[in-house]
Amino acid sequence: MSLAQQFSVAGKYLKYYFTAGNRHDVHSPFVFSLIEEVLRDKKQQPAFREIELLRQQLLRSEETIQVTDLGAGSIVSGGNDRRVRDITRYAAKQPKFGQLFYRLIQYLQPQYLVELGTSMGMSSAYMAKANPNATVYTIEGCPNIAAKARSNFDSLGIKNIEQRIGNFDTELPKLLQQIPRLDWMYIDGNHRKEPTWNYFQEALPYVHNDTVLIFDDIHWTPDMEEVWHRIMQSEQVTYTIDLFFIGLVFFRKDFKVKQHFTLKY
């Protein structure tokens, strides 16, 4: 990420921080409840400590992994030795968002969850720990990174994650045809406009009233902002929530008119 891009994102974040709404700006009962029960919930859970202890171990690790980029966008430079601690530092989502996913899953109770971009498995672990009776299907482009993630899942005693390895473009359509239902999809690992739009389009035939799609880094580049606005305008989308670093997309039919919320988190 160039210095100019860092300044651009920082400027956008400052604007978001000073203009984003809160529960007093929301008239939707569902979104108001989500704010109260999920976004404002600061209670720590035992699972948080487990996962964050593992993250700290990974951040201190001297292990290196031979990285292969299969075109899924999960790794920027292919064919290189990468340190586990660097992958963890730069590719894993911040703890506050893993913990947000945990609370959101406990609130919405999705049973069949899809993740594009496993990396070290931090977000996967939060999702799986939130509901051990659910199944998390996670796709990773690099076999060696996927193997390390599996080791991390095993160390946390997680049994409800199914891994797929390969290019998102080929693995996602196959997976969506095989799972019983699409309740949740987290799109991470490829932060470009057209692939992101394509993953959204792939998911649309499988969404239902209670599905939530989560898009990562929606303000990262002008291209990502453009595709986020395209998604907001899609006919099937009834409302969206912009939390700056991620965007939530809902298809609930109790909303007769599209509504878009930018909320502070």
Side-chain angles (χ1 to χ4, degrees), residues 13-222:
Y13 181 77
L14 284 174
K15 180 180 178 182
Y16 156 82
Y17 184 83
F18 288 110
T19 59
N22 55 41
R23 68 190 193 280
H24 303 297
D25 303 304
V26 170
H27 302 292
S28 157
F30 174 79
V31 177
F32 183 86
S33 177
L34 189 145
I35 293 171
E36 290 295 298
E37 301 295 327
V38 179
L39 298 187
R40 288 172 55 83
D41 181 2
K42 305 300 181 186
K43 295 190 297 292
Q44 293 297 301
Q45 303 292 338
F48 298 177
R49 185 172 185 274
E50 287 183 79
I51 296 169
E52 291 311 315
L53 282 174
L54 174 60
R55 188 196 300 266
Q56 291 308 310
Q57 293 172 16
L58 296 173
L59 287 170
R60 294 192 298 268
S61 173
E62 297 294 334
E63 182 182 358
T64 60
I65 292 178
Q66 184 74 23
V67 168
T68 304
D69 181 6
L70 298 184
S74 55
I75 297 298
V76 175
S77 56
N80 295 327
D81 285 332
R82 294 279 301 278
R83 293 185 297 187
V84 164
R85 66 188 186 198
D86 291 336
I87 298 171
T88 305
R89 180 173 292 110
Y90 298 114
K93 207 65 181 160
Q94 296 174 18
K96 68 179 285 186
F97 289 102
Q99 292 163 19
L100 171 63
F101 295 165
Y102 182 99
R103 296 183 180 109
L104 192 58
I105 288 165
Q106 291 206 322
Y107 182 76
L108 297 175
Q109 288 296 302
Q111 293 297 306
Y112 303 100
L113 300 87
V114 173
E115 176 186 46
L116 301 187
T118 314
S119 188
M120 290 290 102
M122 298 293 97
S123 296
S124 323
Y126 273 111
M127 292 189 282
K129 287 278 190 179
N131 183 1
N133 295 318
T135 304
V136 177
Y137 302 88
T138 183
I139 305 174
E140 171 57 48
C142 174
N144 293 335
I145 288 180
K148 182 61 181 178
R150 172 48 61 189
S151 172
N152 293 336
F153 301 149
D154 291 343
S155 74
L156 292 169
I158 294 172
K159 305 296 185 185
N160 59 325
I161 293 178
E162 291 196 17
Q163 291 181 280
R164 304 294 173 93
I165 302 170
N167 191 304
F168 297 167
D169 296 344
T170 54
E171 293 302 315
L172 179 60
K174 289 191 293 186
L175 177 60
L176 290 174
Q177 290 175 12
Q178 293 167 2
I179 62 177
R181 194 174 65 242
L182 179 62
D183 298 327
W184 168 295
M185 189 162 85
Y186 173 41
I187 297 92
D188 188 13
N190 192 333
H191 301 96
R192 292 178 293 163
K193 178 174 64 175
E194 288 309 318
T196 300
W197 177 252
N198 291 340
Y199 305 143
F200 173 69
Q201 293 290 101
E202 289 280 359
L204 278 184
Y206 300 92
V207 303
H208 55 82
N209 187 71
D210 298 317
T211 299
V212 57
L213 304 184
I214 303 174
F215 291 86
D216 194 56
D217 285 335
I218 57 174
H219 295 287
W220 195 247
T221 62

Side-chain angles (χ1 to χ4, degrees), residues 1-13 219-222 225 244:
M1 188 182 192
S2 68
L3 189 60
Q5 191 178 358
Q6 291 180 47
F7 277 117
S8 175
V9 173
K12 292 173 187 176
Y13 181 77
H219 295 287
W220 195 247
T221 62
E225 290 186 322
F244 191 79

